[in-house]
Amino acid sequence: MLTVLLVAIVPIVALTTGLPVLALVAVAGLFYTATLLATESIFEGLSAAIFVLVTFSANVPLVELPLGGEEYTTPILNALLVDVVVIPFAGLMLWWLYSGKISLNFGRERIVGYALAGFVCWSLLAGLVGNGPSRLAGLFYVVVQLRHLVLFTISAVIVKYIGIRSAVYSLGIAIVGQLMYAMAEILNYGSFGLTYLGDSGSGPGPAFSVGPLQFEYALYAGGFAGTSRILVALLLLVIPVIVAIVVRRSIVWKLAAAVALVCSTLLVRVSQTDSGFAAFLFTALLMAIALCTLWIATDTTDRTPRDRTSDYVSGISSTVGLAALSVFLFTRREISRTSRSTKATGTSGGDSASGTSAFGGVSSTRSNSEVGSDFMIQIANQIPFIETTNFSIRLQQYIAAIDIGLQYPLFGIGGMNFPLVAESYGLPRPIEIHNIYLSILASTGFPGAVFFLLSISAVLVIAGKKAMSSESDHLFWAMLICGMLGFHAYSFWVTIHSGGVAYLVFWVLAGTVVGANRRQETDITSRSSAT
């Protein structure tokens, strides 16, 4: 219900009547709350609201930080739409915990929470140590990570009582709703301008054609998740679950899932992200391997061999078809291979040889690695379909991150500090590191990176054990793993970690994985479910 209200009804009414968006959102919230009270489904309704609202990038900037002058500023602390629900829900959860209605008796899965909490604490230490130019930015970075921990914990508790499928399907419905809004923006050849809900409002780019149809490269087509590249990250998490629907559900669900998959493939192309394209193909490969393995290695008593074969053939065909469609769309380029190669080697992003470290002296790491960087760029230029225009800039970022990690191995320079020193490393402007792992290394040092990698690895191990359990839905869990691996492959090349909702959604999903191992019943849940 909430997805329909915020993604369809509120935008339609706002665009047709001119009524203020914030007022309509407030009315929608009151209507949703009244529905929960009338149906006695407060717990389920608030839970569903968290899974829906976490996909909205609507926010109010609270603190902004200048980056080397007035031209560049970045918000380092925002109040998000999901906070409106998380704060009262956290209060209710504490009351239920005090009164004994819920419990936090997690088993070995608690290692994820411990690792994530360790990362938050180490980020705090890195901010307090203040090796970077802004201690304030480092401390507000901790607030962002603390929000991840809170949402992870709440999600894990929720799923203990409502089940992982209710949670994942609520999240998936919200993301598909964002996708449908993005498709409307693509057909509109422009943003609808509803920035109060999280619409990016950015302008279009060049066009590409598919037969008689013409599409624009459009960062604006991100629904209310922000830019289209952030929405691509969210889709990578749920596309495998949609493929699972193709395998298991009725023909009506299969058709609906097929539409969502085709739209997802188009969005990846429209977002003009080669990183997304590569991650999309990687996810498709993982799904194909998983589906073939499950088809051969598992058996079910509730399906005839013929029906089971038909189901898995549908899933594998969908996966292969998505990959083929993606490759076809990415051949619709305007830039020739020759000009692409020239741009890739010519766009240096600044004179790295003369770049001076923010902490004194010339970075010898950059100077000694120029030949190696050029060699890697030449190799990257040989990869078919992949645009390498910005590859040299990213290599500079990676070298700078490693250099910072070696200079400050314990605490790094603090979160959100890299843009403040980016230009001193020869980069053309204050930008974040296009790699989550190296970004964390530069921000929090090696211990912080270890905590972060441990938390992610533990989530994947828990999901893997669940996938191999004889009592679980092997397909469902295998697809969740494929989505999380594809998401983190994408994170290796982009800056979805530097703001927005991408990692909020991931940690909510991670919480559902942890909480699913400890399903319990309680009197706080009621007879109906709000979606």
Side-chain angles (χ1 to χ4, degrees):
M1 176 193 296
L2 191 57
T3 300
V4 174
L5 284 172
L6 295 180
V7 175
I9 295 178
V10 167
I12 290 173
V13 174
L15 293 172
T16 55
T17 66
L19 292 174
V21 173
L22 292 180
L24 293 173
V25 170
V27 171
L30 291 173
F31 177 78
Y32 184 72
T33 303
T35 303
L36 299 186
L37 293 173
T39 57
E40 299 180 1
S41 55
I42 299 297
F43 182 82
E44 296 91 335
L46 288 178
S47 301
I50 289 174
F51 293 120
V52 171
L53 295 180
V54 75
T55 66
F56 283 74
S57 69
N59 66 82
V60 177
L62 301 179
V63 180
E64 291 189 339
L65 184 70
L67 301 179
E70 298 181 355
E71 182 180 358
Y72 297 106
T73 62
T74 182
I76 58 176
L77 183 63
N78 293 329
L80 297 174
L81 189 59
V82 70
D83 295 338
V84 176
V85 179
V86 166
I87 293 173
F89 190 91
L92 281 174
M93 194 174 74
L94 290 174
W95 169 251
W96 288 329
L97 183 65
Y98 174 77
S99 60
K101 292 184 177 182
I102 64 173
S103 62
L104 298 178
N105 58 331
F106 295 101
R108 295 179 179 178
E109 304 83 13
R110 69 169 70 95
I111 184 64
V112 180
Y114 289 158
L116 186 56
F119 175 64
V120 173
C121 293
W122 202 265
S123 299
L124 176 60
L125 289 175
L128 291 173
V129 169
N131 288 326
S134 174
R135 182 177 280 110
L136 180 66
L139 293 177
F140 280 123
Y141 177 79
V142 180
V143 177
V144 174
Q145 304 311 317
L146 183 62
R147 181 187 275 131
H148 293 166
L149 178 60
V150 170
L151 280 168
F152 165 80
T153 304
I154 289 177
S155 176
V157 172
I158 288 173
V159 173
K160 288 174 62 177
Y161 302 103
I162 70 172
I164 189 170
R165 281 178 181 77
S166 296
V168 172
Y169 289 161
S170 294
L171 190 62
I173 289 171
I175 294 173
V176 171
Q178 305 281 11
L179 173 64
M180 294 300 105
Y181 184 85
M183 289 297 105
E185 290 183 306
I186 291 172
L187 295 177
N188 186 57
Y189 291 99
S191 167
F192 291 114
L194 302 179
T195 54
Y196 283 119
L197 275 174
D199 194 336
S200 69
S202 58
F208 70 97
S209 61
V210 180
L213 302 177
Q214 191 175 63
F215 301 96
E216 292 177 336
Y217 299 131
L219 285 177
Y220 61 77
F224 297 119
T227 68
S228 57
R229 294 178 182 179
I230 293 179
L231 184 54
V232 166
L234 305 189
L235 288 170
L236 287 171
L237 288 171
V238 300
I239 282 174
V241 177
I242 297 174
V243 171
I245 291 175
V246 173
V247 175
R248 290 284 174 83
R249 296 301 184 96
S250 64
I251 185 63
V252 175
W253 280 100
K254 290 179 188 292
L255 292 174
V259 171
L261 292 173
V262 171
C263 291
S264 299
T265 309
L266 178 61
L267 183 76
V268 172
R269 184 67 192 99
V270 166
S271 65
Q272 199 180 6
T273 166
D274 293 273
S275 303
F277 170 56
F280 192 79
L281 293 183
F282 175 68
T283 306
L285 176 62
L286 292 177
M287 289 191 294
I289 294 173
L291 289 170
C292 291
T293 302
L294 291 172
W295 185 14
I296 296 171
T298 63
D299 195 7
T300 56
T301 57
D302 59 336
R303 302 287 289 171
T304 65
R306 182 176 180 178
D307 289 341
R308 187 168 175 274
T309 298
S310 176
D311 289 343
Y312 276 99
V313 167
S314 298
I316 295 171
S317 300
S318 299
T319 302
V320 174
L322 284 178
L325 177 59
S326 183
V327 170
F328 169 75
L329 290 177
F330 265 77
T331 61
R332 308 296 95 189
R333 288 192 178 275
E334 296 181 321
I335 304 175
S336 67
R337 186 169 181 79
T338 301
S339 62
R340 174 169 68 92
S341 177
T342 302
K343 287 189 176 183
T345 56
T347 307
S348 65
D351 183 7
S352 61
S354 61
T356 304
S357 172
F359 316 110
V362 177
S363 173
S364 60
T365 305
R366 295 194 310 279
S367 300
N368 294 335
S369 61
E370 285 183 355
V371 175
S373 298
D374 291 341
F375 177 70
M376 293 181 67
I377 291 171
Q378 291 175 9
I379 294 176
N381 283 337
Q382 306 308 312
I383 302 175
F385 310 123
I386 300 296
E387 178 68 58
T388 58
T389 302
N390 296 319
F391 189 57
S392 60
I393 296 178
R394 299 193 182 184
L395 280 179
Q396 284 181 272
Q397 296 175 16
Y398 302 160
I399 293 169
I402 294 172
D403 185 40
I404 291 172
L406 293 175
Q407 288 186 57
Y408 303 96
L410 281 181
F411 299 107
I413 59 173
M416 299 183 184
N417 269 269
F418 185 81
L420 300 174
V421 302
E423 291 175 297
S424 68
Y425 277 91
L427 295 167
R429 62 187 184 280
I431 54 177
E432 267 287 359
I433 300 170
H434 285 62
N435 183 302
I436 177 67
Y437 315 104
L438 293 178
S439 176
I440 288 176
L441 172 64
S443 298
T444 62
F446 284 95
V450 169
F451 277 125
F452 181 78
L453 291 173
L454 178 60
S455 62
I456 292 174
S457 301
V459 172
L460 292 171
V461 169
I462 292 170
K465 288 182 177 180
K466 201 70 176 176
M468 293 184 289
S469 171
S470 59
E471 299 177 355
S472 66
D473 185 340
H474 306 287
L475 176 64
F476 179 81
W477 284 97
M479 293 298 102
L480 278 183
I481 294 171
C482 291
M484 289 188 287
L485 288 174
F487 176 88
H488 283 289
Y490 185 44
S491 299
F492 195 89
W493 298 106
V494 294
T495 60
I496 57 174
H497 57 277
S498 63
V501 301
Y503 266 87
L504 287 175
V505 173
F506 169 77
W507 284 115
V508 165
L509 184 62
T512 67
V513 171
V514 172
N517 276 356
R518 298 282 167 175
R519 177 77 186 273
Q520 296 181 6
E521 300 298 332
T522 178
D523 57 358
I524 61 175
T525 58
S526 57
R527 63 178 180 274
S528 61
S529 175
T531 323

